[in-house]
Amino acid sequence: MKLYTLIASLLFSLGIFAQEQPNTSDAKVWTLEECIAYALAHNITIQQANINKQLTEVALMESKSSRLPSLSGTASQNLTNGNTIDPITSDFVSQQINSTSLSLNTSVTLFQGNQINNQIKQSKLLVDQYQLYAQESQNNITLNITEAYIQLLYAKEAIKIAENNVSTSQKEEERAKALFDAGSIAIRDYTDAKSQTATNNYNLIAAKNTYDLQLLSLKQLLELSSTDSFAIVDGVEYLAENVPELQEVYAEAVAILPEINASKTNVLVSEKALDIAKGGYLPTLSLTGSLGSGYTSTQTLNFTDQFDGNFNQRVGLSLNVPIFNKNKTKAAVQEAQLNIDNAALQLAQEEKDLYVKVETAWKNTIATQSQLNAAYIARNAAKESYRLAQKQYELGALSTTNLILSQNTYTNTEQNYIQAKYLNLLYNQLLQFYQGNQISI
């Protein structure tokens, strides 16, 4: 009786909580494909990855612009008093000078150890790499949505099992009360039936709460508010599929997954960084030019005439030959070489990690498929046993305790079956993903 009182009090408190949950009966029903499409369009992490890719595109534009000449204009107005050199005529004078200077200056790099070309090539590789990172982000959210959706399907089907148990136990409690009132069973048999009804109600509320928590998790992945109306499809019919060979799945995954290709691209990026660093050993040749004119108060001509007369043009070549820069270039080359080695190791680690993921999913698919077959047989057998136990109970040939044990056994096999079903569904979808196939249930 103490157990029954405890369960009843918990049911009362949980019942209040359940009554406060939003009604989703009229909510829009989302399929898995709709959830994935919505998440790809609205997820914050994906948006950030796209912004990072756009930043690399800006950097590429900047690298290409390094080939273009620079152009700048300068203007100055000076008032000089005393012994000085006239900034326009370059004469040494001893008087107050009012001068104006205007100029246009340009410079273009003709050769810089091929660093500009290599920088452009590296920037293009970085654009490709961050495009792959964006695809990886999309893949990650797709997998997260798939896992959350399948967990929600499992939680929803668990509610149906719990509801059936409540309905069945209520009928058995009514039957037990009638038998007790007729003096056919002891009070313990009746209270056992009553306690089982309370326990099943408790399990139902707990199942609904689990569903609500899983639903909240999926909404967060979709960037939806907790108050948004949302529902998913009912449980899916699922038959285990043929499992492909492990090496076949891995070979396809290595070829198509963006994280592997991003690591391969990272090796190329590091190799271009080495070419850029080696360019520091070579000279830099630049072409410069300028246009200028000016006015000075030391001359008698007016402002316009002086600007016409003082107009000058200049073209020049500038060669900068590195001789010794405190080993900065040498250090940059060594660092770039080490980064290549590190990028190669990262690629090897990525391939190793991927193999572990693929092999884990493959083994789990094999295991859950066997579990699903066993759970299917166990569920059907337990269901038949429970049906026979109900018949015996109605005839008075079975105690309430044994009936409850039979019901609990059937419930456990039902739960084991749906758990194996949805786990096998999840791992099969993972294998489909690794093979480049679209996730769909």
Side-chain angles (χ1 to χ4, degrees):
M1 293 298 292
K2 290 183 178 179
L3 175 61
Y4 171 73
T5 304
L6 175 61
I7 292 175
S9 63
L10 286 172
L11 282 172
F12 177 76
S13 60
L14 287 173
I16 295 175
F17 171 78
Q19 291 173 6
E20 294 175 350
Q21 301 307 301
N23 182 14
T24 59
S25 58
D26 298 327
K28 177 185 180 301
V29 176
W30 293 58
T31 64
L32 174 59
E33 292 77 9
E34 288 174 332
C35 288
I36 292 174
Y38 186 89
L40 294 180
H42 297 86
N43 185 263
I44 293 176
T45 302
I46 292 177
Q47 294 178 31
Q48 290 174 328
N50 289 330
I51 290 175
N52 290 334
K53 181 181 73 71
Q54 292 172 15
L55 288 173
T56 60
E57 292 171 348
V58 173
L60 173 60
M61 180 195 67
E62 184 180 5
S63 298
K64 289 181 177 179
S65 298
S66 298
R67 289 172 171 168
L68 302 177
S70 63
L71 181 64
S72 63
T74 61
S76 64
Q77 178 69 41
N78 299 293
L79 180 64
T80 308
N81 192 37
N83 296 327
T84 187
I85 296 177
D86 192 316
I88 304 301
T89 64
S90 297
D91 294 333
F92 183 81
V93 295
S94 180
Q95 68 182 78
Q96 186 180 76
I97 302 174
N98 179 24
S99 63
T100 301
S101 298
L102 295 175
S103 67
L104 282 175
N105 303 283
T106 185
S107 176
V108 61
T109 301
L110 301 178
F111 180 76
Q112 193 180 2
N114 213 27
Q115 287 180 320
I116 293 177
N117 289 336
N118 287 324
Q119 184 65 59
I120 292 173
K121 292 176 182 178
Q122 186 188 55
S123 297
K124 289 179 179 178
L125 289 171
L126 286 171
V127 171
D128 295 339
Q129 185 181 36
Y130 275 81
Q131 174 65 41
L132 292 169
Y133 286 151
Q135 293 176 10
E136 181 183 3
S137 179
Q138 293 174 357
N139 286 347
N140 289 338
I141 194 62
T142 297
L143 291 178
N144 291 336
I145 291 289
T146 301
E147 181 178 359
Y149 195 93
I150 291 177
Q151 286 179 344
L152 197 58
L153 284 172
Y154 168 71
K156 189 171 186 179
E157 196 158 339
I159 291 177
K160 292 182 179 179
I161 294 175
E163 288 174 340
N164 289 335
N165 287 339
V166 169
S167 176
T168 301
S169 60
Q170 285 175 342
K171 294 177 181 177
E172 291 170 354
E173 181 186 345
E174 293 173 359
R175 173 68 176 169
K177 186 177 186 305
L179 293 174
F180 172 69
D181 291 341
S184 300
I185 61 173
I187 188 172
R188 179 182 175 181
D189 288 326
Y190 170 58
T191 55
D192 283 346
K194 199 170 185 178
S195 176
Q196 181 66 16
T197 301
T199 300
N200 287 339
N201 271 298
Y202 174 87
N203 292 335
L204 173 59
I205 295 174
K208 288 181 177 180
N209 188 46
T210 298
Y211 176 85
D212 290 337
L213 293 176
Q214 292 291 350
L215 183 63
L216 177 61
S217 177
L218 180 56
K219 282 185 175 182
Q220 290 174 339
L221 288 173
L222 293 171
E223 307 296 345
L224 293 175
S225 168
S226 60
T227 59
D228 287 338
S229 175
F230 188 91
I232 64 168
V233 298
D234 292 331
V236 297
E237 293 296 330
Y238 173 71
L239 295 176
E241 302 176 2
N242 293 328
V243 181
E245 293 295 328
L246 173 59
Q247 295 302 326
E248 176 187 344
V249 177
Y250 176 69
E252 292 174 338
V254 167
I256 64 173
L257 286 186
E259 54 264 39
I260 301 299
N261 290 322
S263 292
K264 292 178 180 177
T265 305
N266 192 45
V267 175
L268 300 177
V269 170
S270 300
E271 290 174 348
K272 281 301 167 189
L274 177 61
D275 293 337
I276 294 171
K278 287 181 177 179
Y281 286 124
L282 301 177
T284 299
L285 179 64
S286 301
L287 175 66
T288 61
S290 67
L291 299 174
S293 187
Y295 163 84
T296 177
S297 60
T298 61
Q299 293 186 332
T300 58
L301 296 175
N302 60 34
F303 189 91
T304 303
D305 291 339
Q306 283 197 44
F307 258 71
D308 289 339
N310 294 329
F311 180 67
N312 60 86
Q313 310 87 38
R314 181 183 62 83
V315 176
L317 287 173
S318 174
L319 180 65
N320 180 19
V321 179
I323 298 175
F324 181 71
N325 63 353
K326 303 177 184 180
N327 285 329
K328 290 183 179 179
T329 301
K330 181 179 180 180
V333 170
Q334 291 176 344
E335 181 179 351
Q337 183 60 63
L338 291 172
N339 286 335
I340 292 175
D341 297 339
N342 190 43
L345 291 174
Q346 288 178 346
L347 172 59
Q349 186 64 49
E350 284 282 357
E351 292 175 341
K352 179 181 177 181
D353 292 343
L354 176 61
Y355 188 84
V356 172
K357 292 178 182 177
V358 172
E359 185 176 22
T360 300
W362 185 83
K363 287 184 176 180
N364 284 332
T365 303
I366 297 293
T368 54
Q369 186 165 304
S370 299
Q371 290 172 339
L372 179 59
N373 294 333
Y376 178 78
I377 296 173
R379 182 196 65 168
N380 290 343
K383 182 178 181 180
E384 180 63 17
S385 295
Y386 180 49
R387 187 186 67 81
L388 294 175
Q390 287 176 312
K391 293 293 185 180
Q392 289 179 308
Y393 183 73
E394 292 172 359
L395 297 173
L398 190 70
S399 67
T400 304
T401 300
N402 288 331
L403 178 65
I404 292 172
L405 288 174
S406 180
Q407 184 192 54
N408 291 338
T409 299
Y410 173 53
T411 299
N412 290 335
T413 57
E414 278 274 21
Q415 291 174 339
N416 290 339
Y417 173 74
I418 64 170
Q419 183 181 46
K421 179 176 75 170
Y422 286 112
L423 280 175
N424 188 250
L425 173 61
L426 174 61
Y427 291 126
N428 258 303
Q429 292 304 309
L430 278 177
L431 292 184
Q432 292 295 321
F433 166 79
Y434 287 135
Q435 292 177 284
N437 300 325
Q438 184 177 3
I439 290 178
S440 177
I441 61 174

